[in-house]
Amino acid sequence: MDVAQFKQAGHDAIKKIAEYYTNIEKRPIRSDVEPGFLRSTLPGVPPVNGESWQAIKSDLEHSIEPGLSHWSHPGFMAYFPASLTFEGIRGELYSAAFNGPAFDWVCSPSVTELENIVMDWLVHLLRLPSDFHSGSFTQRGGVIMGSTTECLIATMVAARDRYLKQSMAKLKEFQVVLDESEIRKRLVVLGSSETHPATKKAAAVTGVKFRSIPCSPETGVTLTQEHLCRLVSLCLEEGLIPFYLTATIGTTNTCAVDDLAGIGQIMDDLPNMWIHVDAAYAGAALACEEYSHLIARPARLDSLSGALVPVTFSQTKYPIQDELLTTGIGNSPWGDVFAPSKRHIDMAGKFTTWLQSRKDLFELVAKPQFALNVFKISHDLAQRAELTDDTATIRVFNAVHDIGRFWLSKTVVDGTVAIRVINASPRSTIEMMEQLFDTLVQCTESLLSGDGKGQDRK
């Protein structure tokens, strides 16, 4: 493709994207293809010669698009927000054009310095401690990475190596001979039952153990000071060494916020514990003054991941293999994918009011947080329908999905099946939320008449 062909194809692509977003609500929100569908439409071997853009465009429309689900559809209220913007698309075009693998300052000074500056902007915007500000080429601040899991692995490796180096130095000081592997095999990462599985995954990659403690709805499904003290005691009884904790602002299941203030009060008793805050979903809310209290200052905070562009900040330096590196790690490819806007939070608040107005049908499973509501079918209605609470909830969930206008997700909170409704699309409207609520009411009431759809499939 030469420049002239690229310009023409580019115009076609922009037009296609604009039409896609203009008419996205007319598309089926979920793909209904069967696994393996794509192999029957594309060749089994690569083409000998390149195809024209028109041929590729035809493949896109007839082979690829049928297998796409549309996260920007106004009826998408599952998982987490996917707030793609036209500005973000333009930014990706320029980024692809400049093609600069900026792994060092000299490779593309503007890329490195812009990242440094924008991370400092986020420190200010999110009201983070000033120690997270990089200043000018210091060993602290924020860095953009590919995913939250990468952030966790990087900070966990840093925490592990920091602990091992400090421990070996102390042993040497007291002339105690102990192989480093004896300490390493006792290291354990801590979290709660609501901590994202990425922490457990990072622990496995890092070669350390992971322990969690259940958090119940009675405590807001949050990790509290009492939970942490109990978990640390259990680990010490097993001969394990807690060295890393993931606390969360906006857990995946319920958007719960861990008790950072309470956790901070016991940090003096845990001087070697690395404290990481996962704010992948709700970090953006810190930009709003009414939510700034969520980052209640613990006595020590080593790193934080999440924000508008989920990133990780650090205020500490740590030695790894005799090199000084920065903890500031983050992720960017999904843009502001997790960021809840005040408009979405307001709409979610109205949805909460509607749920509470029909307590004969619905029960909240956890405290509504940000743009998320988590609820189940009421125990009373399930009994009247001669169903278990979980079966009733699953049937209503499936019935709503079968209608095809909305995409919700379900989860399990403290052993209870629940439906999650999150305002996830920039195209969401209060009218769409009203339509969803009316649909939920109809599907729930149909349980009593015995003509509910969806039945019991998982």
Side-chain angles (χ1 to χ4, degrees):
M1 181 179 287
D2 58 27
V3 171
Q5 292 171 322
F6 172 73
K7 287 175 66 176
Q8 181 59 52
H11 284 298
D12 290 344
I14 296 296
K15 182 179 179 181
K16 171 71 174 179
I17 292 169
E19 290 175 348
Y20 171 78
Y21 280 99
T22 299
N23 300 301
I24 193 170
E25 60 269 19
K26 298 178 182 178
R27 293 173 177 262
I29 191 169
R30 297 182 70 180
S31 171
D32 61 357
V33 299
E34 295 294 328
F37 82 99
L38 197 56
R39 285 193 177 275
S40 64
T41 65
L42 295 179
V45 295
V48 176
N49 300 307
E51 294 184 325
S52 69
W53 174 248
Q54 287 302 318
I56 295 172
K57 183 179 177 182
S58 177
D59 285 343
L60 177 65
E61 293 176 352
H62 298 103
S63 298
I64 304 302
E65 289 188 24
L68 296 179
S69 296
H70 305 290
W71 284 49
S72 294
H73 192 289
F76 181 89
M77 301 177 196
Y79 309 123
F80 46 80
S83 305
L84 183 66
T85 64
F86 294 127
E87 292 86 351
I89 294 173
R90 290 180 64 185
E92 289 194 30
L93 282 172
Y94 283 116
S95 179
F98 295 146
N99 188 30
F103 54 84
D104 198 343
W105 177 88
V106 72
C107 297
S108 281
S110 289
V111 176
T112 300
E113 296 196 16
L114 180 62
E115 177 184 26
N116 194 256
I117 292 166
V118 173
M119 294 302 97
D120 285 350
W121 287 355
L122 282 177
V123 171
H124 177 77
L125 178 65
L126 303 178
R127 300 176 174 83
L128 297 178
S130 59
D131 286 343
F132 283 81
H133 197 284
S134 70
S136 178
F137 298 105
T138 62
Q139 300 295 330
R140 58 184 63 181
V143 179
I144 300 173
M145 286 188 73
S147 71
T148 296
T149 301
E150 289 181 35
C151 304
L152 288 163
I153 292 172
T155 54
M156 206 174 287
V157 167
R160 181 199 65 191
D161 287 6
R162 182 181 74 174
Y163 185 87
L164 289 172
K165 186 167 186 175
Q166 291 173 347
S167 298
M168 296 305 293
K170 195 170 294 184
L171 289 172
K172 184 177 181 180
E173 179 183 346
F174 290 98
Q175 298 182 335
V176 176
V177 178
L178 184 67
D179 191 83
E180 183 181 287
S181 62
E182 291 301 311
I183 301 175
R184 183 189 291 256
K185 69 183 183 182
R186 295 169 57 198
L187 294 179
V188 61
V189 172
L190 305 185
S192 79
S193 57
E194 299 303 299
T195 301
H196 193 278
T199 291
K200 184 177 181 180
K201 186 187 301 182
V205 173
T206 309
V208 296
K209 296 177 174 61
F210 174 76
R211 293 289 186 275
S212 67
I213 193 164
C215 294
S216 69
E218 285 71 28
T219 60
V221 210
T222 65
L223 179 66
T224 65
Q225 180 188 108
E226 180 183 353
H227 284 131
L228 181 58
C229 289
R230 196 185 322 152
L231 184 56
V232 169
S233 296
L234 290 171
C235 289
L236 294 177
E237 289 174 8
E238 291 184 48
L240 301 177
I241 304 171
F243 78 103
Y244 185 103
L245 168 69
T246 296
T248 308
I249 299 178
T251 59
T252 301
N253 269 357
T254 64
C255 278
V257 178
D258 290 341
D259 180 17
L260 292 181
I263 291 171
Q265 292 173 9
I266 62 173
M267 283 303 99
D268 287 343
D269 299 326
L270 303 166
N272 297 316
M273 178 87 77
W274 183 292
I275 310 300
H276 177 78
V277 172
D278 177 357
Y281 169 74
L286 300 178
C288 304
E289 188 171 353
E290 59 266 41
Y291 294 109
S292 61
H293 66 280
L294 296 177
I295 192 66
R297 307 292 180 254
R300 187 180 72 256
L301 178 62
D302 293 287
S303 54
L304 177 145
S305 60
L308 299 168
V309 184
V311 294
T312 302
F313 298 93
S314 173
Q315 59 180 354
T316 60
K317 299 184 291 186
Y318 58 86
I320 297 182
Q321 298 177 348
D322 300 323
E323 294 182 11
L324 270 179
L325 303 175
T326 309
T327 7
I329 322 288
N331 54 4
S332 69
W334 289 356
D336 56 344
V337 64
F338 295 110
S341 72
K342 293 185 71 173
R343 182 175 69 89
H344 289 97
I345 292 172
D346 290 343
M347 286 194 292
K350 292 181 179 178
F351 193 81
T352 301
T353 301
W354 301 336
L355 289 173
Q356 292 175 326
S357 72
R358 293 302 308 266
K359 292 183 178 180
D360 58 319
L361 303 182
F362 309 112
E363 293 177 12
L364 290 170
V365 172
K367 175 185 175 183
Q369 293 273 29
F370 308 109
L372 176 67
N373 282 276
V374 184
F375 60 95
K376 61 184 277 294
I377 302 309
S378 72
H379 178 66
D380 178 64
L381 186 135
Q383 280 193 321
R384 289 163 57 200
E386 299 181 346
L387 300 169
T388 66
D389 292 11
D390 286 354
T391 297
T393 300
I394 290 172
R395 287 194 180 184
V396 170
F397 175 84
N398 290 337
V400 172
H401 268 218
D402 288 345
I403 292 171
R405 296 187 59 209
F406 306 99
W407 189 349
L408 313 181
S409 58
K410 65 179 184 291
T411 188
V412 177
V413 179
D414 196 32
T416 298
V417 175
I419 297 172
R420 298 171 77 259
V421 171
I422 189 165
N423 293 92
S425 168
R427 304 176 70 88
S428 294
T429 64
I430 194 65
E431 291 77 20
M432 183 65 73
M433 298 300 295
E434 289 175 333
Q435 292 171 25
L436 170 61
F437 182 73
D438 289 343
T439 301
L440 283 163
V441 169
Q442 293 167 12
C443 291
T444 303
E445 290 179 336
S446 71
L447 293 177
L448 296 175
S449 62
D451 55 355
K453 307 291 185 182
Q455 300 308 310
D456 302 332
R457 68 180 186 276
K458 300 301 182 184

